[in-house]
Amino acid sequence: MAAPREVDSETLTDDERDHLERVQRWISTEGAYQHQHQTRPLTLAPALSDSPAGLLSWILEKHRAWSDCGGVLSTRFSDDYLLTLASLYWSTNSIATSLRPYYEFAAGLTTRVDRVSVPTAVALFPFDLARPPRSWAERTYDVVRYTVMPRGGHFAPHEEPALLAADITEFARSLPRVG
């Protein structure tokens, strides 16, 4: 979810301040990858494209750190899934394209989101990278559904497909029928 383009610190709620503090803590402990992607994507991309072991290591580390696996990947992801994911990046030589958007956003090459006026659903998984309060999301989006999930992480569609599908279904049912 895109952060608001501009925020007056005087208007922040306590929950929003807590959210921003959590984001800063996360950046200091987990954000090195983001900084590398934003500043030097073409340094990392060749290294990951040249070494299948390096690519797999990169993917495994992110899945371990950003999922609800308690540090044990096999509780959430099969070896087949992880090897297939790495193989897709490897066989298509496409890891660089996954790094590029970070750079483009940081360099101002992408259009920033001002306001999304279509009805929006937000599903927050406890082990995702950021878990903004509803008020933060509402600064940019027309939030009509906001669900705090009991488990799952950044890879929620794979970790908790049933929870996510049920939430999407309920969101779709809540929308007015057209035609």
Side-chain angles (χ1 to χ4, degrees), residues 47-62:
L48 295 177
S49 296
D50 192 47
S51 169
L55 176 63
L56 181 60
S57 176
W58 189 262
I59 289 170
L60 294 179
E61 190 278 327
K62 299 304 171 235

Side-chain angles (χ1 to χ4, degrees), residues 68-77:
D68 186 4
C69 74
V72 182
L73 282 170
S74 62
T75 64
R76 294 308 221 160
F77 309 101

Side-chain angles (χ1 to χ4, degrees), residues 122-133:
V122 176
L124 293 182
F125 292 84
F127 290 88
D128 203 350
L129 308 183
R131 293 169 310 280

Side-chain angles (χ1 to χ4, degrees), residues 2-8 105 110-115 136 139-140:
R5 185 184 285 236
E6 294 179 23
V7 177
D8 176 358
F105 183 80
T110 1
T111 304
R112 304 284 200 247
V113 173
D114 282 320
R115 179 80 188 148
W136 183 255
R139 288 175 178 266
T140 305

Side-chain angles (χ1 to χ4, degrees), residues 26-41 44 48 58 61-62 65-66 98-100 102-103 128-130 154-155:
W26 183 88
I27 288 171
S28 70
T29 60
E30 291 287 331
Y33 88 95
Q34 183 177 359
H35 184 73
Q36 179 70 30
H37 290 4
Q38 287 176 335
T39 60
R40 301 292 186 274
L44 184 59
L48 295 177
W58 189 262
E61 190 278 327
K62 299 304 171 235
W66 299 347
S98 74
L99 310 180
R100 188 83 189 168
Y102 293 87
Y103 171 78
D128 203 350
L129 308 183
H154 185 65
F155 306 102

